[in-house]
C-alpha cells in the first residue's frame, strides 16, 4: 500500500506539515483492514477499542488514579483473549516483545498491539517543559526535540505518543500550563504543528517515527478558577479562536490521533460531546484519524452527572465519537451488549475499529509487529550524546532573561567568590518537570553540577527547604552571602507543584524561600535569581527586586549545564515569555491578548473607576513576549501599506546595537480597532527569530492575509473591513503603533 504525504499550507508563511494524513484523501482504503473487520466478533472489536496502563513493563510510578494492580500475568492473559488493543506507559524492548508475542501468537486473529506513552517532552532524555521551550519561539527547535523524542521512543518500544498537549492556558493557577505552549493560540498553533511533524515525519511507517496525539480535546486549558478537571464556561468565539485553533491546525496537518478531555464545555463533557467529536471534528474538519479518551474519561461521565451508569457512559462516549476507551474497560463490558440490543449501530462500531486498525497499519505493525521492538536500538538510540547536546541547547534557548540591571550578567569566567544558595542549587530531583517519570534521573544535571562542570569554585548552601525553614539554614546562607562577591539564588517550585492535579491558589515562591531570599538580599551583595517554575509566577519582595532574574522553568536532563551556559554567556539568552508574569497572584486569569473593556485604565492620569484592581493595573510585571539579551536590538523602518485588500506585506529592520552576537524574536501584533464583537487589545500574528552580529541589520517581511484578521461571528468566521493597528515589536507591550485600513 502506498501512502501519500499530505501537504497543506497551515498557516501564513507556508508552514506546512508534510505528514501522512489520516485526515486527507491520500489515505487509501485498506483491503487488509476490511477483510479483518469482516472476521471479527463484537467482543474482538470491543477489545481493539480498549487500552490499559501497561502492567507487563510498567513504569512503576503512580501517575494516574487507581492504577491497576492486576499484574503482568493477568494482563498477558487478557491480551491473549483479544481484550486489549493498546498498552500505554510501558517502556523497554523485552516487555514489548513479550506483550506483542501474546497478541500476534495468542489471539485468534493475530492483531498486533500498538504501544503508546506520555512522551510529552522527551523520554529517557528530557527536554525543556513545553511551556519553557515555547519561550524559544522556535518551531525548528520544537520539531527537533520532538524528532529526538520519537527516535528514543521507538528504541524503547513505543509507537504512539500522547503528545503534543496543545491546550491554550490563560490561568497560571492550573498545574497543566506546564505541558502546553502558553497563553497565545498563534504561538501554540505554530509549535503544535511543528511538534506533530517532529513526531510523525513524512511517513509513519518509518520505524523511528511515532504517531502523535493532539490533546486534550477540547478547552481543558479553560478550567474555571484554574482548578484542574473543573467545568469551563467559555463563549463560542473564545472556544473557536483560542482553544480549538491548535487542534484544527494539527488536524489539517495530518495528526494521527486526538485525545478527548476531562472537562465539560458549557455543561457537555468533552468526552461525551457529540458536537465536538463528531459534528465539528468529523463533519466540519473532516478528521479521519482516531480519538482516544483520556484516562477513565468515559466512566467519569457518571460523576459529571451526564451518564447514569457504566453502560450509559459507554454508550454516550462511544456515540459522541470516542473511538477508544482508556483504562475503564467499559467498552469491553458494554459495547457487545449495546450492539446486540441495537443501541449502538454496527456501522459505528466498525467505523471506530477501522480507525484503530488503520492506525496500526499506518505505523506498519501488520507488516512488522515487532517494529520499534529492537534490543539493538535500545542500546544505540537512547540518551545519545546528540540527544543530550540537544537537551542542553534547547534548555539554554528556553531560559528567559527577565531582568539584568547594571548588566550584572553574564558573569565573568572568574566572577570572584560565588555563593550558590537555595533548595534548587544541588537539587537533581527537580530538573525535568512534570511527566518526569519516563526520564532517566541518572542523567539529571543540577545547577551545582553545571557550575562544577565549568571548574568553578563556589560555596553551596541550601538555606531552606522548598516549603519549610531549615534550622540554622538562613544563618548559614547569610554567612555565605557575606563571604561572596555574587550570590546565585536557586529558588522556586518543585516539579510536582505543577502538572496534572497540581493547581495552586497562590502562584508564588513559597514563604520559606522568600524568607531566605530577604535575608540573603539584606546582606547587600549582587543577587542573581535562578527561578525554577512550571508556570508563570507572581514575584515579590527581594526576588522581584534582585538585579538579575533568569526564568529557568524546568529545562530537562541537561538543566544545570544549560543554566551555566547562559550565566557565563556561552549562550546569549534570547527566549521570550510564553506566559505573562502577573504583578499579583490574584491577577488570574491574566493574558496579554485581553479585551479593552469600556473603561481601560490609562497609562497615566486618573485611574478612578477604571478596569483595574486596587493593588495593580490590568497589566503584567513581565508580559508575554518579553525577554532580554546580553546585547541590544532596535526595530526600525516599519513600513505598513495604508490599505489592504487580500494581503499586505509589512517590513521592518532589526539591528543589533550591542556588542555581542545574539538572537532577537521579532513579533507582529495587530488590533482590530472597531468590530461587531469586541476584539483583544493585541493579537500575535507572526514572529521571526533572527541572529545578528554586533552592528548588523536585517530587514524582515511579514505577510498578513485576510484570513489572519478573521474572528468568530455569530455562526461563522468573519472578516470586517476597517482600521487595524499593527506593531512590529520585541514584546506584547512594545513597538511603535502603525495603522492600515482593510477594504
Ligand atoms: C492522564 C492525562 C493524559 C495522559 C493520560 C495517560 O490523566 O490527562 O494527558 O495522556 O492520562 O497517562
Amino acid at each position: 500500500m502506498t501512502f501519500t504525504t499530505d501537504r497543506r499550507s497551515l498557516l501564513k508563511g507556508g508552514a506546512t506539515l508534510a505528514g501522512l494524513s489520516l485526515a486527507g484523501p491520500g489515505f487509501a482504503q485498506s483491503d487488509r483492514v476490511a477483510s479483518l473487520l469482516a472476521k471479527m466478533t463484537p467482543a474482538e472489536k470491543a477489545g481493539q477499542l480498549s487500552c490499559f496502563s501497561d502492567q507487563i513493563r510498567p513504569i512503576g510510578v503512580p501517575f494516574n488514579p487507581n492504577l491497576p494492580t492486576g499484574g503482568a500475568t493477568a494482563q498477558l492473559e487478557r491480551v491473549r483473549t483479544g481484550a486489549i488493543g493498546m498498552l500505554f506507559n510501558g517502556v523497554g524492548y523485552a516487555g514489548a516483545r513479550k506483550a506483542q508475542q501474546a497478541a500476534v501468537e495468542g489471539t485468534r486473529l493475530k492483531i498486533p498491539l500498538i504501544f503508546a506513552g506520555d512522551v510529552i517532552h522527551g523520554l529517557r532524555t528530557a527536554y525543556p517543559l513545553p511551556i519553557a521551550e515555547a519561550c524559544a519561539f522556535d518551531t525548528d527547535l520544537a520539531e527537533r526535540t520532538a524528532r529526538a523524542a520519537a527516535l528514543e521512543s521507538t528504541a524503547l518500544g513505543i509507537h504512539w505518543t500522547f503528545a503534543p498537549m496543545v491546550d491554550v492556558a490563560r490561568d497560571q493557577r492550573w498545574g497543566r500550563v506546564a505541558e502546553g505552549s502558553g497563553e497565545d493560540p498563534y504561538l501554540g498553533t505554530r509549535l503544535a504543528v511543528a511538534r506533530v511533524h517532529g513526531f510523525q515525519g513524512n511517513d509513519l511507517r518509518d520505524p523511528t517515527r511515532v504517531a502523535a496525539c493532539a490533546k486534550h480535546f477540547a478547552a481543558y486549558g479553560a478550567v474555571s478558577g484554574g482548578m484542574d478537571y473543573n467545568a469551563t464556561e467559555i463563549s463560542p468565539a473564545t472556544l473557536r479562536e483560542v482553544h480549538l485553533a491548535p487542534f484544527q491546525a494539527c488536524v489539517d496537518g495530518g495528526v494521527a490521533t486526538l485525545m478527548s478531555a476531562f472537562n465539560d464545555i458549557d455543561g457537555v463533557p468533552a468526552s461525551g460531546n457529540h458536537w465536538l467529536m463528531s459534528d465539528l471534528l468529523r463533519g466540519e474538519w473532516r478528521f479521519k484519524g482516531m480519538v482516544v479518551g483520556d484516562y477513565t474519561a468515559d466512566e467519569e461521565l457518571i460523576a459529571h452527572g451526564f451518564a447514569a451508569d457504566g453502560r450509559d457512559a459507554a454508550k454516550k462516549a462511544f456515540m459522541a465519537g470516542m473511538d477508544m476507551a482508556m483504562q475503564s474497560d467499559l467498552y469491553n463490558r458494554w459495547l457487545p451488549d449495546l450492539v446486540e440490543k441495537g443501541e449502538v449501530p454496527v456501522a459505528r462500531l466498525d467505523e471506530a475499529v477501522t480507525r484503530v486498525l488503520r492506525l496500526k497499519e499506518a505505523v506498519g505493525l501488520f507488516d512488522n509487529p515487532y517494529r520499534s521492538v529492537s534490543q539493538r536500538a535500545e542500546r544505540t538510540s537512547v540518551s545519545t550524546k546528540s540527544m543530550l547536546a540537544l537537551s542542553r541547547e534547547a534548555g539554554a534557548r528556553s531560559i528567559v532573561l527577565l531582568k539584568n540591571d547594571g548588566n550584572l550578567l553574564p558573569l565573568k569566567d572568574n566572577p570572584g567568590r560565588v555563593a550558590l544558595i537555595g533548595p534548587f542549587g544541588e537539587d537533581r530531583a527537580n530538573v525535568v518537570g512534570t511527566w518526569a517519570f519516563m526520564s532517566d534521573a541518572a542523567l539529571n544535571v543540577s545547577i551545582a553540577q553545571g557550575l562544577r562542570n565549568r571548574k568553578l569554585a563556589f560555596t553551596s548552601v541550601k538555606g531552606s527547604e522548598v516549603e519549610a525553614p531549615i534550622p540554622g539554614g538562613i544563618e548559614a546562607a547569610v554567612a555565605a552571602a557575606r563571604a561572596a562577591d555574587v550570590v546565585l539564588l536557586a529558588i522556586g517550585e518543585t516539579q510536582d507543584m505543577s502538572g496534572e492535579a497540581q493547581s495552586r491558589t497562590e502562584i508564588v515562591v513559597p514563604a520559606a524561600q522568600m524568607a531566605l531570599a530577604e535575608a540573603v538580599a539584606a546582606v547587600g551583595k549582587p543577587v542573581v535569581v535562578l527561578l525554577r517554575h512550571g508556570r508563570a509566577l507572581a514575584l515579590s519582595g527581594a526576588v522581584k527586586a534582585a538585579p538579575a532574574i533568569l526564568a529557568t522553568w524546568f529545562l530537562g536532563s541537561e538543566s544545570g549545564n544549560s543554566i551555566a551556559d547562559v550565566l557565563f554567556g556561552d549562550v546569549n539568552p534570547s527566549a521570550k515569555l510564553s506566559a505573562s508574569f502577573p504583578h499579583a497572584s490574584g491577577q488570574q486569569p491574566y493574558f496579554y491578548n485581553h479585551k479593552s473593556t469600556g473603561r481601560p485604565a490609562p497609562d497615566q492620569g486618573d485611574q478612578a473607576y477604571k478596569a483595574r484592581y486596587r493593588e495593580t493595573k490590568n497589566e503584567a510585571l513581565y508580559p508575554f513576549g518579553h525577554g532580554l539579551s546580553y546585547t541590544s536590538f532596535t526595530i526600525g523602518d516599519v513600513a505598513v501599506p495604508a490599505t489592504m485588500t487580500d494581503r499586505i506585506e509589512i517590513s521592518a529592520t532589526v539591528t543589533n546595537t550591542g556588542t555581542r552576537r545574539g538572537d532577537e524574536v521579532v513579533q507582529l501584533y495587530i488590533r482590530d480597532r472597531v468590530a461587531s464583537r469586541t476584539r483583544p487589545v493585541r493579537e500575535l500574528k507572526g514572529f521571526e527569530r533572527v541572529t545578528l552580529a554586533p552592528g548588523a541589520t536585517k530587514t524582515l517581511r511579514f505577510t498578513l492575509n485576510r484570513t489572519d484578521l478573521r474572528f468568530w461571528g455569530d455562526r461563522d468566521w468573519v472578516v470586517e473591513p476597517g482600521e487595524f493597528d499593527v506593531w512590529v515589536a520585541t514584546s506584547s507591550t512594545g513597538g511603535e503603533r502603525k495603522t492600515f485600513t482593510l477594504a
Side-chain angles (χ1 to χ4, degrees):
M1 167 184 290
T2 53
F3 287 79
T4 59
T5 55
D6 182 47
R7 277 183 178 281
R8 294 189 184 177
S9 171
L10 280 178
L11 300 156
K12 117 187 119 42
T16 62
L17 173 64
L20 167 82
S21 169
L22 299 172
F27 195 87
Q29 178 63 24
S30 154
D31 299 339
R32 168 168 33 203
V33 166
S35 66
L36 253 183
L37 199 64
K39 297 172 192 159
M40 295 171 79
T41 66
E44 287 168 328
K45 292 176 182 176
Q48 286 302 310
L49 305 180
S50 302
C51 71
F52 299 89
S53 174
D54 195 321
Q55 297 298 297
I56 297 159
R57 43 173 195 158
I59 297 290
V61 172
F63 56 87
N64 261 319
N66 54 51
L67 204 61
T69 54
T73 308
Q75 194 165 68
L76 275 170
E77 195 39 45
R78 286 208 84 193
V79 169
R80 290 191 189 94
T81 66
I84 297 179
M86 176 267 270
L87 291 172
F88 65 93
N89 287 345
V91 167
Y93 152 79
R97 186 159 197 86
K98 192 190 294 184
Q100 197 64 290
Q101 222 155 0
V104 297
E105 294 174 14
T107 61
R108 183 174 76 89
L109 293 172
K110 310 193 178 332
I111 299 173
L113 292 167
I114 187 166
F115 297 122
D118 285 296
V119 184
I120 312 300
H121 54 115
L123 188 50
R124 288 286 186 251
T125 308
Y127 302 98
L129 278 179
I131 192 172
E133 190 182 81
C135 297
F137 277 70
D138 188 338
T139 53
D140 174 62
L141 178 67
E143 182 167 340
R144 285 192 291 138
T145 54
R147 200 286 166 266
L151 209 51
E152 205 168 62
S153 300
T154 53
L156 288 164
I158 287 175
H159 310 121
W160 172 19
T161 177
F162 294 150
M165 187 270 216
V166 304
D167 303 312
V168 178
R170 307 165 117 178
D171 191 321
Q172 300 299 312
R173 291 172 293 182
W174 190 45
R176 301 196 78 166
V177 296
E179 302 172 55
S181 293
E183 69 191 43
D184 181 72
Y186 178 83
L187 176 62
T189 295
R190 292 283 302 275
L191 293 171
V193 167
R195 288 185 176 124
V196 169
H197 191 228
F199 288 130
Q200 295 189 171
N202 292 321
D203 185 346
L204 276 179
R205 298 163 74 85
D206 174 344
T208 68
R209 296 288 183 173
V210 293
C213 180
K215 69 183 187 182
H216 307 77
F217 193 56
Y220 187 17
V223 285
S224 298
M227 184 179 78
D228 207 355
Y229 314 122
N230 205 359
T232 68
E233 300 286 348
I234 40 181
S235 69
T238 299
L239 179 62
R240 289 271 185 169
E241 292 167 17
V242 175
H243 300 288
L244 289 176
F247 288 99
Q248 184 166 11
C250 289
V251 165
D252 288 348
V255 70
T257 68
L258 263 63
M259 182 184 290
S260 73
F262 290 125
N263 54 287
D264 84 17
I265 300 174
D266 302 338
V268 181
S271 293
N273 195 312
H274 189 274
W275 171 81
L276 184 73
M277 292 195 285
S278 293
D279 301 343
L280 176 75
L281 185 61
R282 306 293 180 180
E284 192 178 314
W285 292 359
R286 317 299 301 155
F287 181 56
K288 291 186 172 54
M290 193 264 282
V291 176
V292 60
D294 201 341
Y295 194 94
T296 68
D298 52 339
E299 195 167 29
E300 291 170 19
L301 297 181
I302 303 167
H304 274 289
F306 190 75
D309 52 31
R311 187 178 190 277
D312 191 32
K315 179 178 172 183
K316 282 176 174 160
F318 190 66
M319 292 309 291
M322 182 196 286
D323 296 315
M324 180 180 265
M326 184 185 288
Q327 199 64 31
S328 67
D329 207 18
L330 289 183
Y331 284 10
N332 273 326
R333 278 168 52 197
W334 296 113
L335 280 186
D337 176 56
L338 286 162
V339 168
E340 189 192 340
K341 293 195 172 54
E343 294 177 57
V344 165
V346 173
R348 168 61 188 130
L349 182 64
D350 288 354
E351 175 187 72
V353 175
T354 297
R355 288 168 181 158
V356 171
L357 296 181
R358 277 179 158 194
L359 175 65
K360 294 184 174 181
E361 186 168 55
V363 169
L365 287 169
F366 284 112
D367 297 328
N368 173 15
Y370 297 98
R371 180 263 209 213
S372 307
V373 178
S374 147
Q375 201 167 17
R376 183 177 173 283
E378 193 170 282
R379 278 199 307 272
T380 61
S381 302
V382 175
S383 310
T384 63
K385 280 201 176 62
S386 60
M387 289 170 182
L388 293 171
L390 177 59
S391 176
R392 178 168 182 166
E393 175 199 350
R397 289 168 83 88
S398 304
I399 294 171
V400 185
L401 178 59
L402 294 179
K403 188 180 177 185
N404 190 22
D405 289 356
N407 293 321
L408 175 59
L409 294 178
L411 298 180
K412 297 179 180 57
D413 281 345
N414 302 309
R417 297 164 302 168
V418 175
L420 175 63
I421 295 172
F424 296 106
E426 298 285 355
D427 173 276
R428 292 181 62 233
N430 293 279
V431 299
V432 170
T434 188
W435 292 115
F437 62 74
M438 303 280 249
S439 66
D440 178 355
L443 299 171
N444 293 355
V445 179
S446 66
I447 295 172
Q449 191 54 52
L451 299 177
R452 292 187 183 108
N453 291 344
R454 299 179 67 89
K455 308 285 183 275
L456 182 78
F458 60 94
T459 309
S460 179
V461 176
K462 192 172 186 180
S464 85
E465 299 298 347
V466 173
E467 297 185 278
I470 295 175
I474 286 185
E475 293 77 359
V478 166
R482 283 208 179 99
D485 298 312
V486 61
V487 172
L488 305 179
L489 188 59
I491 55 173
E493 296 181 316
T494 53
Q495 64 190 18
D496 64 5
M497 292 169 78
S498 57
E500 186 173 350
Q502 301 305 333
S503 294
R504 293 183 69 197
T505 56
E506 300 288 332
I507 55 172
V508 297
V509 173
Q513 295 177 69
M514 288 308 295
L516 172 67
E518 297 298 341
V520 166
V523 171
K525 300 293 178 65
V527 174
V528 178
V529 172
L530 304 177
L531 207 54
R532 179 152 296 170
H533 49 107
R535 54 167 59 81
L537 296 177
L539 306 180
S540 62
V543 173
K544 178 179 173 182
I549 305 172
L550 287 174
T552 73
W553 307 96
F554 289 97
L555 297 172
S557 306
E558 285 285 311
S559 185
N561 286 328
S562 304
I563 291 169
D565 288 344
V566 168
L567 262 180
F568 289 90
D570 296 359
V571 172
N572 186 353
S574 57
K576 304 284 184 174
L577 287 178
S578 58
S580 303
F581 274 54
H583 281 286
S585 191
Q587 259 185 289
Q588 293 300 306
Y590 177 83
F591 41 97
Y592 85 92
N593 41 2
H594 58 74
K595 298 299 182 70
S596 168
T597 79
R599 294 194 175 187
D603 286 344
Q604 311 295 333
D606 184 5
Q607 299 289 312
Y609 296 97
K610 300 296 183 198
R612 51 164 296 148
Y613 299 88
R614 287 175 61 88
E615 301 85 353
T616 180
K617 290 169 75 171
N618 184 27
E619 62 180 26
L621 174 64
Y622 296 113
F624 174 87
H626 168 77
L628 303 177
S629 169
Y630 293 152
T631 186
S632 54
F633 297 92
T634 56
I635 303 283
D637 305 324
V638 179
V640 179
T643 57
M644 171 178 172
T645 49
D646 290 333
R647 69 172 52 84
I648 53 169
E649 182 175 281
I650 294 157
S651 65
T653 60
V654 53
T655 301
N656 181 341
T657 51
T659 58
R660 280 172 177 263
R661 181 184 177 79
D663 285 15
E664 179 57 288
V665 176
V666 180
Q667 302 149 51
L668 178 76
Y669 294 94
I670 66 154
R671 178 182 183 177
D672 187 344
R673 281 249 197 102
V674 177
S676 57
R677 302 182 80 87
T678 56
R679 303 302 305 138
V681 295
R682 284 211 192 189
E683 295 176 72
L684 181 70
K685 293 295 179 182
F687 60 83
E688 185 167 341
R689 165 184 278 271
V690 290
T691 302
L692 292 173
T697 294
K698 182 175 181 183
T699 299
L700 304 181
R701 299 183 193 290
F702 297 95
T703 301
L704 271 180
N705 298 297
R706 278 187 91 83
T707 49
D708 295 321
L709 308 180
R710 73 180 191 173
F711 61 89
W712 188 257
D714 291 338
R715 275 180 299 285
D716 201 347
W717 293 102
V718 295
V719 177
E720 294 178 353
E723 288 210 317
F724 284 77
D725 294 332
V726 62
W727 296 264
V728 178
T730 57
S731 89
S732 59
T733 57
E736 178 195 352
R737 189 181 69 169
K738 300 276 187 179
T739 304
F740 67 87
T741 302
L742 176 68

